[in-house]
Amino acid sequence: MGAEAADSPRRTTFLVRWVAWVSAGESLGFLAPAAAQSVSVAFWPAAGVPLLVLAGLAEGAVLGWFQGRVLESRLPAVSVRRWVLLTAAAAAVAWTVGLLSFSSESWQGWPAAAQIVTETGAAMVLLVSIGLAQWFELRRHVPGAWRWIAGSAAAWAVGLGVFMAVATPLWQPGQDLWLTAAIGIGAAVLMAVAMAAVTGLVLVRLLPKP
């Protein structure tokens, strides 16, 4: 009982630090896609997809660095560099799949069953991509690291749900670009906090006791 009582404050400290840093990292990282979208709409519509994929790569790198810096406080042997590279690559994949699937009209004439399969597959890739990529590093240091894949997917599902719940009703046709961007960034901050909170709760159960 004494060991568990002593362990609890340390886990809480880690959770608070994780949520704060990861929320900041994702919020800062999301500025790259927000800027890319603004540039695309205002100056270069034809380059929207490649710009957003590159911005997603940057978003993932920033998020991965913030996550890695906190993670190494509990796992000193973790490679922050590898964590950043894996997260950045996975974020680029997620943005590519999302843009080519949900923003494309090419498959909307397909039969309903085919559309459902396509949307479901794309959604699964979106949610699983980052956790799966990070698992390749986490499994080197944590037993049962496969649980991170499911936990990360759940966190992104919650985060994206928060983003859509906030941004979708506020975005209206004909809005000024600055207002659209401000709404998106505000919703992204809330998404980041939600995602960070869920991943933090997963990690405090997954990581070895300090």
Side-chain angles (χ1 to χ4, degrees):
M1 288 294 291
E4 292 181 4
D7 180 51
S8 181
R10 287 192 289 266
R11 286 174 176 257
T12 301
T13 299
F14 173 83
L15 177 60
V16 170
R17 187 164 178 250
W18 174 271
V19 172
W21 275 69
V22 174
S23 297
E26 174 57 18
S27 298
L28 290 172
F30 191 81
L31 293 177
Q37 177 69 8
S38 298
V39 169
S40 172
V41 170
F43 306 108
W44 201 2
V49 170
L51 282 176
L52 282 168
V53 171
L54 288 174
L57 187 74
E59 177 190 7
V62 174
L63 172 64
W65 187 85
F66 275 76
Q67 287 181 325
R69 297 301 295 176
V70 182
L71 192 59
E72 71 174 350
S73 68
R74 289 287 300 276
L75 298 174
V78 75
S79 170
V80 176
R81 178 177 177 274
R82 190 179 295 117
W83 187 272
V84 169
L85 292 174
L86 290 169
T87 308
V93 169
W95 272 96
T96 301
V97 171
L99 290 167
L100 297 181
S101 300
F102 298 105
S103 299
S104 174
E105 298 180 357
S106 60
W107 53 268
Q108 293 184 7
W110 296 358
Q115 291 189 37
I116 292 172
V117 170
T118 300
E119 291 179 356
T120 302
M124 289 297 296
V125 172
L126 277 170
L127 296 177
V128 171
S129 56
I130 290 180
L132 177 61
Q134 293 172 337
W135 168 79
F136 284 98
E137 174 62 18
L138 195 61
R139 66 174 181 164
R140 299 167 179 261
H141 313 282
V142 177
W146 61 267
R147 293 176 291 172
W148 175 248
I149 301 173
S152 177
W156 283 106
V158 171
L160 290 170
V162 169
F163 181 91
M164 296 305 296
V166 173
T168 302
L170 296 177
W171 277 333
Q172 299 296 328
Q175 280 179 334
D176 290 336
L177 184 59
W178 71 266
L179 180 57
T180 301
I183 292 170
I185 291 171
V189 171
L190 295 177
M191 174 188 74
V193 173
M195 178 275 294
V198 176
T199 52
L201 290 171
V202 172
L203 272 178
V204 295
R205 292 182 175 272
L206 190 61
L207 294 177
K209 292 183 179 181

